[in-house]
Amino acid sequence: MADDTAGVVLAYRPEDSILTNVERLRAQVDRVYVVNNSPGDEGSAEILSRLDRTAGVVVLDQEKNVGVAAGFNAGMRRALADGFEFVWIFDQDSAVADGMLSQLKRAFAEWPAPVAMAGPALRAEETGFLYDADRGEGIGEL
């Protein structure tokens, strides 16, 4: 587990699958911040209350649906304020592969210049399809 890395998951009317996705993410990071972007929704509140009782998971309720960017920003601000060096962001339906964080951090360490952001290729869980824009090999510049 990486004690310098926090996860942020943006939740909008989540389904039960978020529970498994957060559990898999939590196995690789010290803390997961789940940003509740669906305040007032009873179904969301019930699911997210189960996460809020999980060690290493903090649910951050928003006053209203603030959108994707502002939601991620709320989670990242909290993670950085709590002392984490790295923040790993996900939508509620994104799944984490075993060893994913260690591979991303290896990419940071191996690149000869400062790195601001690294991300994995996007693969559809249902089909295994690797999206065209993400077929790059290794690391590189934008």
Side-chain angles (χ1 to χ4, degrees):
M1 189 171 337
D3 61 3
D4 61 350
T5 305
V8 171
V9 177
L10 186 63
Y12 178 74
R13 296 187 176 168
E15 297 178 1
D16 283 339
S17 61
I18 193 174
L19 302 171
T20 302
N21 292 340
V22 168
E23 180 182 325
R24 291 190 68 178
L25 175 57
R26 176 68 180 91
Q28 294 186 48
V29 300
D30 190 49
R31 190 168 310 145
V32 176
Y33 298 93
V34 178
V35 179
N36 179 9
N37 223 4
S38 48
D41 180 67
E42 289 184 29
S44 298
E46 191 277 322
I47 290 170
L48 295 177
S49 72
R50 288 187 263 166
L51 285 173
D52 207 24
R53 295 188 301 259
T54 303
V57 177
V58 177
V59 175
L60 303 173
D61 291 315
Q62 302 301 293
E63 291 182 21
K64 61 180 182 173
N65 180 348
V66 296
V68 174
F72 280 136
N73 285 340
M76 289 187 288
R77 273 195 301 276
R78 176 67 183 272
L80 295 171
D82 286 349
F84 290 96
E85 182 178 358
F86 298 99
V87 182
W88 202 13
I89 63 173
F90 290 89
D91 287 328
Q92 65 195 23
D93 57 353
S94 297
V96 179
D98 294 337
M100 186 187 247
L101 181 59
S102 63
Q103 291 298 319
L104 289 171
K105 291 183 90 172
R106 183 181 57 77
F108 267 87
E110 290 178 357
W111 194 250
V115 176
M117 179 174 57
L122 180 61
R123 181 180 308 272
E125 182 177 11
E126 301 82 16
T127 64
F129 179 78
L130 185 63
Y131 289 89
D132 286 337
D134 299 319
R135 291 186 189 273
E137 296 288 327
I139 54 179
E141 295 182 37
L142 292 176

